[in-house]
Amino acid sequence: MTTSTPETIPAGYWKDARGSLVPEAKVKPIDKLRDQLVRDLVAKAKHNNTQLRQFKLDTMQEVAALVETSMEQYGVKSGGEKGNVTLYSFDGKFKVVRQMQEHITFGEQLQAAKTLIDQCVTRWAAGADDNIKALVNHAFQTDSQGKINTGRVLGLRRLDIKDEDWQQAMQAIADSMQTTGTKPYVRFYERNDTTGAYDPITLDLAAV
């Protein structure tokens, strides 16, 4: 395994964004001030990021322990880390929500589903405009990474259409679904005494 050697910048020089060495005397005071501010803020951000990661880990473990303890009262043994759960404070003022979101991808059967749906649309349209087909094609569009939008495809399965080809297409979609991983989420809420609704306690810096 190769290890990278830390870069040594000669004393009295600063390295700019292009990798060039600039004599410190040539660096403007405002550039020095900006550099120091950015470094200080990023250091604090990285520190808080580490704390948030640990807080999330601790929260997930503590919720799992409570769920397991609760189930043991009924003689049930189960991993407390699985499944969605909502916990309330005794007075109902606060709640904690743990969600386990599965990441779903589609196998090659999705191509069969697309073909069957195209057949349905062609038969139903019978020479009409292409609006219906455009809607179906939208569901199968891929993003810049070539991935299918899971929500749009699964939305087709919620349509109550009594057609043999359509039903077969929906079965093909179901057969193509593969769970490739589960991502845990934890959210915190406080009840608004005025509206009675639960307002989120935001930990996302962009949403504060």
Side-chain angles (χ1 to χ4, degrees), residues 36-79:
Q36 188 60 54
L37 174 64
V38 170
R39 292 182 185 279
D40 289 346
L41 292 178
V42 168
K44 292 176 182 178
K46 292 174 72 173
H47 175 70
N48 287 328
N49 177 266
T50 300
Q51 287 190 316
L52 278 175
R53 286 177 181 271
Q54 188 60 50
F55 173 65
K56 179 181 179 180
L57 177 62
D58 292 344
T59 299
M60 299 299 288
Q61 291 176 339
E62 291 174 15
V63 170
L66 178 69
V67 171
E68 189 168 355
T69 300
S70 182
M71 295 183 70
E72 285 176 353
Q73 294 183 84
Y74 303 96
V76 178
K77 288 284 186 179
S78 178

Side-chain angles (χ1 to χ4, degrees), residues 114 117-118 121 131-140 156 166:
K114 177 65 165 58
I117 292 174
D118 284 343
V121 171
N131 288 340
I132 299 176
K133 190 168 185 176
L135 291 173
V136 172
N137 286 337
H138 178 67
F140 288 90
L156 296 175
W166 181 272

Side-chain angles (χ1 to χ4, degrees), residues 16-29:
D16 66 15
R18 294 174 295 182
S20 302
L21 293 177
V22 179
E24 184 174 358
K26 297 293 185 180
V27 180
K28 296 178 181 179

